[in-house]
Amino acid sequence: MTKKLINNKCLYLAIAYVIFFTCGCKKIIQIDAPVTTITSDQVFSTNEQAASALAGIYFRMVNSNVLFLCSGATSVYCGMSSDELISYDQVASDGFVLFQKNNLSSLTGIVGDAFWTQSYSYIYGANAVIEGLQSSKSVSDSVKIRLTGEAKFIRAFCYFYLINLFGDVPLTLTVDFNKTALLPRTPVESVYKQIINDLIDAQNALPIDYSAQLGERVVPIKWAASALLARVYLYHNEWENSEVQASAVIEHTELFNLATLDEVFSKNSSEAIWQLQPNPSVAPFNITTEGNILIPIDSTYSPFAYFPDYFLNSFEPNDERKNKWIKSFNFDDGSGTTITYYYPFKYNQGPLEQIPGGNITQYYMVLRLAEQYLIRAEARAKQNKLTDAIEDLNFIRHRANLPGLSPTLAQEQVVSQVEHERKVELFVEWGHRWLDLKRTGKSDAVLGPIKGGDWNNTDVLYPIPLNEIRTDPNLTQNKGY
Amino acid sequence: MHKKTGSVASTFRLVSGISKLDSAKFPFVTPKLDKGMHFTFQVGRPRHGGTSSEPKQLIMSSVRWGRSLPRQLVLAMQASAVLLFAFSLQVSAATYSQTVSFTGKDVPLKNVFASVKKQTGFGFFYENGEEATLKGAGNVTLDLKNVALDLFLQVVLRNQPLEYSVEGTTVFVKRKEVRSSVTVELSDSARIPEIRGRVTNDKGEPLVNANVVVKRTGRGTVTDANGGFRLQNVSPEDIITITFIGYKPQSIPLRDRTSLTLVMVATTNDLDKVVVQAYGTTSQRLATGNIGKITSEDIARQPIMNPLQAIQGQVAGVVVTQTNGFASSPIKIEIRGRSTINPNFPSDPLYIIDGVPLTVLEVGGNSNYNDGSQGFIQNGLNSPANGQSPFFSMNPSDIESIEILKDADATAIYGSRGANGVILITTKKGKAGKTHFDLNVYDGVSQVPRFYEMLNTKQYLEVRREAFVNDNQTPDNYSAPDIFLWDTTRYTNWQKYLWGGTGKTTDLQSSLSGGDQRTNFRIGAGYRRQTDILTKSGANERSSVSLNLTHRSINQRLTLSFSAAYSYAVSNMISVPNAATLPPNAPAVFDRQGHLNYKEWTAQDQLDFPFFSLLKPYTSKTNFLNTSFTLSYEILKGLSFKTTVGYNNAMLTQTSLNPISSQDPRFKPKGSAAFGTNNLHNLIVEPLLEYNTFLGKGKLNAFIGGSRQSNTTNGEYVSGTGYTNDALLKSINNAKEKSVFDNYGEYKYAAIFSRINYNLFDKYIINLNARRDGSSRFGPGRQFGNFGSIAAAWIFSEEALFKNKIHFISFGKLRASYGSTGNDQIGDYQFLSQWTSSGYFPYNGILSLVPTKHTDSLLHWEVNRKTELALDLNFLKDRITFEISWYRNRCNNQLVSFPTPNFSGFSSVTSNSPADVENTGWEYILNSKIIETSKFKWISKFNIGINKNKLLAYPNLQQSPYADYFIIGKSLNIKKLLHYTGVTPQTGLYAFSDKNKDGNITIDLTGKNPDDRYFYDLSPKYSGGWSNNFTFNNWELNLLFFFKKQLGVNALSAITPPGGLNNAPIEALHRWQKPGDISSVAKFTTSPYTDESYPNFQQFSDGTYTDASFIRLQNLSLSYRLSDSFTRRLKIQACKIYIEGQNLFIISNYKGIDPEVQQFGGMPLSRVITGGISLNL
């Protein structure tokens, strides 16, 4: 073999070799789609999977062992911020006592974790559904419409809490982080506009009854959108619109009726407009997070939070709600003296009833009929429809075994009766009291005397978490923080 | 690894023909064809007068002929030479792999044979009786060590009128048959058309691709698979030089020889020893890149479980951190500083074991920069050690060497994965020669060397009472259970309670190795058991076996090698509560019934019960298999084809139990348990085509190769809750509720790569690397990246000036390299938007799907551009070696977990950062044989690496999430801190410098109105090691020091201020008590958050930072080798008795247990002392 031939052969070999490898390359490094996850395209390829994307949001809302936006944080922490609850632990440096003393700072982890981050993560989920369905070619139109409606409802719901807790907030309507990461805060008014639009869209898209969910009231239907819209209009001082929306819910007596006090928070209670269904496989299993945290284990354990006397005293005598929805126990702090503490008992399943896989008796109530009566009463009172307003209030009072109000009350008396009734009906529920004080401008007057030196008029808004401001240089902090 | 090349095809055919001859029948056939040859044998003289102790060069056969010969005759002779050649192969194949050593001057043959007989047990049979046969035989001068018997006899009998054959264990010696008398005479001036030769090592194994160069012309050739070579157009005056990595170079005057067999002797000079590099080997002399090396001896001196620990202090610029005190803990290795701004991905180098990458796909999501990779634990079920190092499964005794590749030249061939450096691990192989059986056993203890000195009960209660007074509070049951409810006379040293145990280590290693010229093997087996210093629990066990086999075909052109290592490791652990700060009078851990004493501890709920973890056992069992198979074939001379197929698999199972007995009975708890599995596969196929030749006057080594890798990592764990009885815990079947979590990652990788190395006169070397990589971790269109490097070295000591004039410099080299490497360590599928089913949990009967992350579809390669300049200087015949290197690594397009505001949906997105990070540094290595006599030797090795880290550029940093964290031009490890000015004598509170003079001390993390603008760089300034090796007769003492200059958190001041329900260091007693007191400790308080100066001091001030530099005696080993006479009597080859110690003492101003354990109360590093014996049979 001559040298040349050898060289040529080598060359050919090498070339063949290189070609073999480069050509194969693209295919070689192709990997299968992930196994434990699926891509957005896959999610929005079938009706069932698209529905799963929404189920994922509800699931996360309710199945948390800690207090998050929709698992009790709004009830408990806002309850402490207002005049409803006292934190037992008075020394925690980054905890509930900061809510009670209105001493939050931008470093208070709970504010960021429980409210801000959770809300926005549901909003992200909703945006992902809206965008995914928009670009999907294989999900049927009817499903697209319904699921988009649900997503918009969720988005509106979360923004409602965000603006009421934080004031101006960044309005994210897409999942594209390139478009959202540097957003400034959007004025509350614009966010309200978005909320209202979303809810109107949701009303048009959602089913009118629970038949699709086999009677379970755990996915929002049209009337949930109306109920939330009634609240939003109320907050926005659009009394007439608010009344219309509340009436639309109340009129559907084939669906909604006031339940007895014992039954209000039961699963699929007749009063429920929208509830969240816990999953008994995941902690806190068959009970609600709120019940798990607020109900003391036994007399050797200190309570998490308790009612101050000034709150307990605001109940009228014989108000059944004080008996049914509030419980007391005696705690011995080791010093030999026992003290009686009162704690919320709307959710009556506590840690000792917690059983993995156990039977669920109560769902987590988000929207209920009683609030609609109170919304309508307030909206009517503001429009000076006093008789109608008093009639609405009496529905609620009669259930609590209280006498009806005098039909001759003046407008501001009716309005203040509504405020009172909201306080004792909706206590430790979704921050109603905290938000009511704020929207009616009574925070300073009511909380100032109770909280003393801890209270500042800027405390009505929670601080924007520091980390958000550090990550987005366009974000500003609320006054007072 | 060197490549095999082959001889020309015609030779091959002949050899095959001959191989059919029955070698037993014709043990030493004298072919008829070789009429007319005149054999002159001679033993070459050493060039330097033969006074040195170096083994002499051996030139074995030489045949001379001339061009005046008839053509037929020449052909015939060629054929006969080939026959002879083949024939010697036959002999080799049939020979016993006995080795013989002999040194002597002018020794009669008789004595030589007697010695051979003694050494091998072989008998000698003389054809005509000893006397008659050996009549006329001359005396010989020999200096041979461990030479195969066959070769030995060839050498001894070359000059003699004798020939031999070996049958069984008998050597037959007879008078040489008288050969035909055609004698060819050549005129001296005649040119020799061709000489042939063969190069082997002292075991008779051919050396492939050895360089054979004619000094006069500078032209040369390389040897083929058989070690054979031919050179044309040489003259008798020529000197030829043979070089081969790892062997002493030889220069031989050709004189009138036309055929040579050269035996190369392994070098004793560090400069020429084999250094493993990417896809091949090199030596310190010829390397163009920066490669640090740890040998098996370095590893053997340290009684460690994880081989990566052996790197500490031995290689400049490499920082090894064991992330916690558990034996299986992850080990973080950082080479030349922090190159990423990203705290979320580990920055591990690429690990390669015998050519097979050990890649862990980070699918578990718990790994980060500070804690390193979680290793084999990737299912998300965490362990008390926070992961498990893959190398926990690797037996250090199986390792021949660990090479650390640092600069672009060394790493660029690994392209995309070389950015963080590469660590090559080469396992031990068998060597031709006598079969060895090695046994090594050691046993030892480990203990915590130091404890924090804490307050005793009396002092503690005094502190507490004073704190209440300071706070104007009256203590009561609720706020002070320690004063009112607990026994105030009780005292427990909690550190001793937990860490006071003595760990025991037993290590047993054995191996059998040996082989002949064609087949080598090594079988190793090891067992190690090591218990933790924890008094309550914890043990680690590892059993391992390994096998290495190499086989060459008869014609030597085909080589197969196979290596496999399998290990089974078990680790039992419990999480360790932070013991040091528990109140000294806290109640007993267990109550009278033997249950955990929740009741007393948690009275008032002021204190969490910390000891629940004592009853929560965790066990991991790991199977690890690493195999590698290499086939190489010499297609043509100089051209060989090689394919490596490697596979490794790790299977790890975990059991983590949470029994009812470990929980607070008040909650009426149920038991829970989690059972995890992790499964990692790596498969790699790498074909390689390599060409070695002389191009012009230089040697060219070039190869082109391809790589296909596929990895999968999957893990799952089942967690069960609702157990009603602890006895049922070990089975998931008994759980009331079960949930399953799983992870899966797949990674594919393809590359073509090439290296061209051109070496001119061993003086000028250039080296080019190129690689094109494709990774499945990037989206379509962005998968491929190109990487490469260029490097050059100038060995200026080879220049005439140095050779002739400057003798004290024995070696000098300047080298430079520049190149780029990449990184894709971001986990899989990051470019895809993904949803997970978050378990299989349904909501209202519908499966739930949850989006998992932001997606950046534009992800692409991270690039690290590395520049290096280095100077190597050896003085006084290499007694002092000095190496200085300067490097600059610039890393950009970094793959980071880029922070995004939570309101965008997630807190981060995996993306390319615009940051440009630079690491520059100097590394110095100074090795010296300070004293070198036959009895006493002192070798000292010193290395130091100085690294400077800098954020070079960041476009629009102020508008980025990093605005508050980084500063352009400063290190990535900076901290902005308040400047602590002391305790105010009037108030007893910590005071700080008011930088902006606004009257307030403000910490505004968003950067407005700040006082915390004092910058501190927490990167280590430098670190290094110093080892000293003393040998005196049979004694050997080795000391390894490791040192580091750094700032650190003062462990004592980093704990909660004294006064609360926690113990404090004894230093707390120097506190402020009344106005006017000058002290370093603020007044005691029970609630440190009431005044912000406490948290400011602790978290945000420089008062807690202190010099944490140290010098640690990392390792000491002392061994005694039993004298030869003694071992001979015991019929063993060698025996060594030794003691070894790890972490023996530390010199530091740092207050606390250990400047490397800055977290107060964390489990400290233990001190290990072992003693053992090693035997070679």
Side-chain angles (χ1 to χ4, degrees), chain A residues 17-32:
Chain A
Y17 188 73
V18 173
I19 290 171
F20 166 71
F21 258 92
T22 37
C23 290
C25 266
K26 278 214 171 115
K27 270 195 185 155
I28 294 168
I29 55 170
Q30 248 166 32
I31 54 172
D32 296 334

Side-chain angles (χ1 to χ4, degrees), chain B residues 294-432:
Chain B
I294 312 238
T295 62
S296 54
E297 290 88 45
D298 297 329
I299 298 171
R301 282 189 200 112
Q302 308 203 33
I304 46 172
M305 190 149 193
N306 188 321
L308 295 183
Q309 287 171 290
I311 301 171
Q312 184 73 285
Q314 310 248 28
V315 181
V318 180
V319 178
V320 181
T321 317
Q322 183 172 359
T323 55
N324 58 55
F326 290 103
S328 61
S329 83
I331 288 188
K332 179 183 156 192
I333 293 192
E334 187 163 87
I335 299 172
R336 293 184 163 177
R338 175 179 176 183
S339 63
T340 173
I341 61 169
N342 182 33
N344 300 84
F345 302 131
S347 61
D348 282 21
L350 171 67
Y351 297 104
I352 295 183
I353 307 171
D354 284 341
V356 191
L358 182 56
T359 308
V360 172
L361 304 183
E362 301 290 347
V363 296
N366 291 327
S367 306
N368 60 48
Y369 171 78
N370 281 323
D371 301 329
S373 164
Q374 290 224 319
F376 282 165
I377 295 180
Q378 291 296 335
N379 58 0
L381 178 62
N382 211 346
S383 81
N386 198 27
Q388 183 170 321
S389 168
F391 292 91
F392 175 66
S393 285
M394 182 149 198
N395 185 354
S397 303
D398 286 337
I399 296 175
E400 178 66 34
S401 70
I402 301 177
E403 264 87 2
I404 291 116
L405 315 184
K406 296 190 270 192
D407 71 336
D409 179 58
T411 57
I413 195 92
Y414 290 110
S416 62
R417 292 166 305 165
N420 296 327
V422 181
I423 293 187
L424 299 180
I425 293 173
T426 310
T427 59
K428 285 179 180 161
K429 312 278 188 294
K431 292 187 182 77

Side-chain angles (χ1 to χ4, degrees), chain B residues 92 97 148 150 203-206 432 515-520 552 556:
Chain B
S92 312
S97 43
D150 183 42
K203 307 267 186 327
E205 296 168 304
D516 56 24
Q517 288 92 327
R518 286 182 48 214
T519 308
N520 298 333
R552 286 189 209 100
Q556 305 275 352

Side-chain angles (χ1 to χ4, degrees), chain B residues 741-755:
Chain B
F741 305 87
D742 67 348
N743 283 319
Y744 180 84
E746 189 182 8
Y747 175 45
K748 282 191 182 170
Y749 190 82
I752 49 169
F753 51 86
S754 176
R755 176 157 72 214

Side-chain angles (χ1 to χ4, degrees), chain A residues 17 38 40 277 301 333-334 468, chain B residues 604 666-667 687 833 835 902:
Chain A
Y17 188 73
I38 62 174
S40 289
Q277 178 192 52
Y301 259 74
D333 70 355
E468 297 293 282
Chain B
Q604 309 312 309
R666 278 186 299 178
F667 291 98
S833 67
W835 295 63
N902 278 311

